[in-house]
Amino acid sequence: MDDAEQTAAYAQADFSTPHQFIVDQISRLLPGLPTFARVLDLGCGPADVTVRLAVAYPGWQIDGVDGAPAMLDQGRERVVEAGLAARIRLYLTRLPGDRLPGLGYDVVVSNSLLHHLHEPQVLWRTVRVAAATGAAVYVTDLRRPRDEASLQRLVEAHSSPSPVVLRRDFEASLRAAFTVGEVRHQLSAGGLGGLTVEELTDRHLAVFGCVT
């Protein structure tokens, strides 16, 4: 996502409530997270969730990767404004071709990357490669509604006051998203069948657990 109109719209939009909710859920779903950890954020975008994680876990050092330069520009500004440049580093990384900034991470997180990938195993292979044995994994994404009527209700409920570009992107993202059952199948095929998948909100799912 590197279109100028999209980038500007996302930079100006207020995602504070859903993003903070997503961050708050990690401690519920993964109790006992390490106080000090090397963390990889896959598809960090403008780093709003990345910054919120760093605030919630002051002992975490976070590497964020994304394939959109314009989003990373917004993210770097946000990191500096939050005074977190010493703990958050952002990298231009296009999966699956580019190398990750490191390996053996203690925690691997991702928000809203899965539905952007043409091949979902790109994400799950990256998680396996990047994570240390026993690492905590927390992946959130949209989940596809069961029918067209449900989809349109979600668009109206969650993006009706938003700019047209955000409404359009939200609807397209819901259509591209996966169901809980589909994600469970992906994890089984990718050797991550020990992770749990659950409905997180009326439009989100969460994947969580530890890599074995």
Side-chain angles (χ1 to χ4, degrees):
M1 186 183 293
D2 209 31
D3 176 82
E5 183 185 12
Q6 287 178 308
T7 302
Y10 275 87
Q12 295 167 11
D14 181 9
F15 294 110
S16 57
T17 298
H19 283 181
Q20 189 59 48
F21 174 82
I22 285 169
V23 169
D24 291 344
Q25 294 307 296
I26 191 172
S27 61
R28 176 181 71 85
L29 299 173
L30 289 167
L33 284 166
T35 301
F36 300 96
R38 292 176 60 244
V39 181
L40 179 64
D41 185 357
L42 296 167
C44 64
D48 185 56
V49 170
T50 320
V51 166
R52 292 174 185 277
L53 284 169
V55 170
Y57 297 92
W60 285 10
Q61 295 282 335
I62 306 177
D63 290 343
V65 300
D66 200 273
M71 286 290 187
L72 288 170
D73 288 343
Q74 295 287 340
R76 291 185 179 107
E77 290 181 10
R78 177 173 275 117
V79 168
V80 170
E81 288 172 0
L84 292 168
R87 292 177 45 219
I88 298 175
R89 298 173 296 184
L90 303 183
Y91 299 87
L92 177 62
T93 305
R94 292 188 172 91
L95 301 176
D98 292 348
R99 292 182 61 181
L100 295 169
L103 298 173
Y105 288 94
D106 305 302
V107 181
V108 179
V109 300
S110 179
N111 175 55
S112 295
L113 174 61
L114 182 61
H115 73 271
H116 284 290
L117 299 171
H118 296 297
E119 171 48 65
Q121 286 302 329
V122 168
L123 175 59
W124 306 123
R125 283 195 297 268
T126 304
V127 169
R128 286 195 63 84
V129 167
T133 300
V137 175
Y138 179 58
V139 174
T140 57
D141 206 280
L142 294 172
R143 57 185 177 89
R144 192 173 70 251
R146 64 181 180 274
D147 52 39
E148 183 66 20
S150 299
L151 186 149
Q152 293 302 328
R153 282 196 294 270
L154 288 172
V155 172
E156 288 302 313
H158 297 292
S159 67
S160 55
S162 301
V164 172
V165 63
L166 293 186
R167 288 173 57 88
R168 183 187 66 212
D169 284 358
F170 181 51
E171 180 172 344
S173 293
L174 286 171
R175 295 186 189 281
F178 299 99
T179 66
V180 167
E182 289 168 342
V183 173
R184 286 179 178 146
H185 179 75
Q186 293 167 14
L187 293 170
S188 179
L192 292 168
L195 300 181
T196 299
V197 189
E198 74 169 37
E199 296 180 359
L200 192 60
T201 72
D202 61 350
R203 61 201 184 279
H204 295 101
L205 57 78
V207 178
F208 58 95
C210 293
V211 174
T212 57

